[in-house]
């Protein structure tokens, strides 16, 4: 499994460990921040709470992963990863190759 990720992302073992740590810490931080925001909003736990929580997670996750990637030295990887993810889900226009390049 790890070899497959290394090949897919074209990274070495040490960088893969840092990337996985960034994903883990970023995901945990996202849940923690979203929960704090939800507590501050004071919304009761019903269907509205769930919808707002999902929206917060969706918005906070890329920000948290980018923030966590800086001290781990993985900002270039996650910057490309988030842009590619944004293009896949239609939030960002995919980069089109320039004919003159």
């Amino acid at each position: 499994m790890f070899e497959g990720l290394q090949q897919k992302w074209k990274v070495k073992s040490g960088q893969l460990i840092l990337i996985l740590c960034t994903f883990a810490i970023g995901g945990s931080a996202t849940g923690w921040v979203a929960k704090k925001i939800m507590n501050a909003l004071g919304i009761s736990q019903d269907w509205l709470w769930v919808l707002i929580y999902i929206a917060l997670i969706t918005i906070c996750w890329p920000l948290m992963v980018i923030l966590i990637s800086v001290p781990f030295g993985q900002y270039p990887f996650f910057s490309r990863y988030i842009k590619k993810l944004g293009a896949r889900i239609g939030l960002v226009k995919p980069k089109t190759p320039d004919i003159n390049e």
Side-chain angles (χ1 to χ4, degrees):
M1 178 175 94
F2 294 117
E3 292 85 15
L5 287 175
Q6 280 182 269
Q7 291 172 358
K8 180 179 179 179
W9 291 336
K10 299 177 180 93
V11 296
K12 296 183 180 184
S13 298
Q15 187 179 3
L16 180 65
I17 291 169
L18 292 174
I19 289 169
L20 293 176
C21 287
T22 302
F23 272 121
I25 296 169
S28 296
T30 299
W32 183 80
V33 167
K35 196 77 146 185
K36 292 291 184 186
I37 292 171
M38 292 302 291
N39 288 339
L41 292 176
I43 298 171
S44 61
Q45 293 189 2
D46 58 356
W47 64 271
L48 181 61
W49 188 93
V50 171
L51 290 177
I52 293 173
Y53 187 73
I54 291 171
L56 277 173
I57 295 257
T58 304
I59 293 167
C60 289
W61 183 80
L63 300 173
M64 286 294 129
V65 170
I66 290 292
L67 285 174
I68 301 298
S69 72
V70 172
F72 280 93
Q74 299 305 310
Y75 178 80
F77 173 84
F78 280 97
S79 177
R80 287 188 309 271
Y81 186 86
I82 298 295
K83 286 176 188 172
K84 192 182 296 184
L85 185 63
R88 256 189 214 157
I89 62 175
L91 295 176
V92 180
K93 287 185 179 180
K95 186 177 179 183
T96 56
D98 188 7
I99 296 173
N100 297 326
E101 288 184 14

